[in-house]
Amino acid sequence: MPTVVFIDPAGHTHNVQAPIGRTLMQVALDNGVPGILGDCGGACSCATCHGYVDEGHAALLPPRSETEVFMLEGVPDLRPTSRLCCQLRVTEALEGITVQLPDEQV
Ligand code: FES
């Protein structure tokens, strides 16, 4: 099972085991990681699962859908590595991915 690293808004690191097929949003919530809400339950309609993925893993992720792009336009600090964690499913290739969570979801 891959390990995913979340860095919460306070700067604390959370190394968690991520089941294959679960989304990064679900993994964070399952493990009580602060800084992610997931208000819409993963329907890509709230953007409260925003995170910044490390550049080394970004290329391994599926491209943003039109809906994800639209939702990300509303986040306060959009960056090239911004993703909605509910749209990213865990695969073996994501071993060690680091996701920094923004301040706005505390
Ligand atoms: Fe709502 Fe990801 S949980 S957009």
Side-chain angles (χ1 to χ4, degrees):
M1 196 182 300
T3 299
V4 172
V5 182
F6 292 100
I7 301 173
D8 71 29
H12 299 124
T13 299
H14 305 258
N15 295 292
V16 301
Q17 297 299 300
I20 301 293
R22 202 130 173 89
T23 68
L24 294 181
M25 178 274 282
Q26 291 167 325
V27 170
L29 293 180
D30 290 347
N31 289 277
V33 177
I36 188 165
L37 300 172
D39 285 343
C40 75
C44 201
S45 61
C46 72
T48 63
C49 63
H50 176 211
Y52 304 108
V53 300
D54 70 272
E55 292 182 7
H57 285 89
L60 302 175
L61 300 172
R64 295 172 179 161
S65 67
E66 279 185 33
T67 305
E68 185 178 353
V69 169
F70 177 77
M71 293 307 301
L72 282 169
E73 287 174 358
V75 303
D77 184 13
L78 181 63
R79 302 178 193 172
T81 57
S82 289
R83 295 301 304 259
L84 295 180
C85 293
C86 72
Q87 300 302 297
L88 305 173
R89 291 200 179 274
V90 175
T91 65
E92 291 287 357
L94 296 189
E95 169 63 37
I97 189 173
T98 301
V99 183
Q100 183 182 348
L101 298 169
D103 292 339
E104 71 256 20
Q105 292 159 179
V106 175

